[in-house]
Amino acid sequence: MLSSRAAVVVIFCLSATLVHAADERPGQTFKAGDVSIYYEILGSGAGTPLVVANGGPGFDHSYMHLSDVWDTMAKTRKVVLYDQRGVGRSSPVAAGASCTLRDQIDDLEALRAHIGVERMDLLGHSWGGYLVMAYAARYPQHIERLLIVDSAAPKIGDTVFLFKDVFPEGVGREDADEFAGQMGDKAAQGRSLREYLSMLFYSPERRDAALAKMTNVDENREVNEAIWKDLQRFDLNPELPKYHFPTMVMTGRYDINVAPVVAYKIHKAIAGSEFVVFDRSGHLPFYEEPEKFVKTVEGFLAKE
């Protein structure tokens, strides 16, 4: 996920333990260079596998299980979710070890090779949207279709945050707790993160239901800061016109974390791409409008 929080959290991600059976989902690990990567495969259908990169950086994929859209789509194809290096059930990044955009791209490529597919459908949410755009620029031969959901801007500094304009009182509380957290108040640090998360939804009812399902919300700031620093070196804008595979760009109409104009500009830069707006969603349309999300994605993936 992308967040404005002291330039620390970049693109929506709830690294949360969900009070849900999703915590018990069976998964596996494999070696990718010097780290172990945890992944889950849902379903066993014959369709092209859909690999999903979650937001962050510095969060695991557990927030994706707030919605059962992945289980629904797994009825016709394999859906693969994974924890990026250094977070969740993947191995920690050792002190002094590399944690860069290139590492993240290499890990995603290693996952593709490990599951044994030549071409995959690839979906990225928030920071994951940036990651899949970068992966697609480097490995276009392995992309069947690309789905970019509420993504950060291709040049990370161009990402538009709306928190202070729409939720000034929430940002005030968040900043106060963030400062207290930096002074050693762990409870305040947790409140700051939850304040941030509370601003990601269109529906107050969906917001409250999501927050109630999450406990021990946390983020790996070392991973976040390492990748966020590395991203300043890159500009993916020149790469987007080179995409020659079907691409869909999606956004929540009320995404405060990444303003919809960011998605629209990505769409305009990719010739022939489709642009879809979820009018009753914030940063998580797969959670707030699951039926429309499934219909939209499955319709796109089914096209010849």
Side-chain angles (χ1 to χ4, degrees), residues 38 54 80-81 106 125 138 140-141 155 188 211 235 238 242 262 289 296:
Y38 172 85
N54 63 267
V80 183
L81 302 101
D106 288 347
H125 174 245
R138 189 172 180 192
Q141 69 273 24
K155 186 176 181 180
L211 294 178
D235 182 357
K242 302 175 186 177
V262 174
E289 297 183 73
T296 300

Side-chain angles (χ1 to χ4, degrees), residues 33-111:
D34 58 352
V35 299
S36 294
I37 299 296
Y38 172 85
Y39 69 101
E40 300 170 3
I41 297 181
L42 312 178
S44 58
T48 301
L50 174 64
V51 177
V52 180
N54 63 267
F59 293 85
D60 66 27
H61 81 278
S62 62
Y63 78 90
M64 306 300 283
H65 289 307
L66 282 170
S67 172
D68 63 0
V69 298
W70 319 110
D71 299 278
T72 300
M73 290 188 282
K75 294 175 182 178
T76 56
R77 68 184 65 245
K78 293 178 180 177
V79 177
V80 183
L81 302 101
Y82 73 105
D83 287 342
Q84 296 157 18
R85 66 167 53 204
V87 301
R89 301 183 196 183
S90 291
S91 61
V93 176
S98 177
C99 188
T100 64
L101 175 61
R102 178 174 178 174
D103 293 324
Q104 296 288 340
I105 294 171
D106 288 347
D107 291 346
L108 182 50
E109 169 60 4
L111 175 61

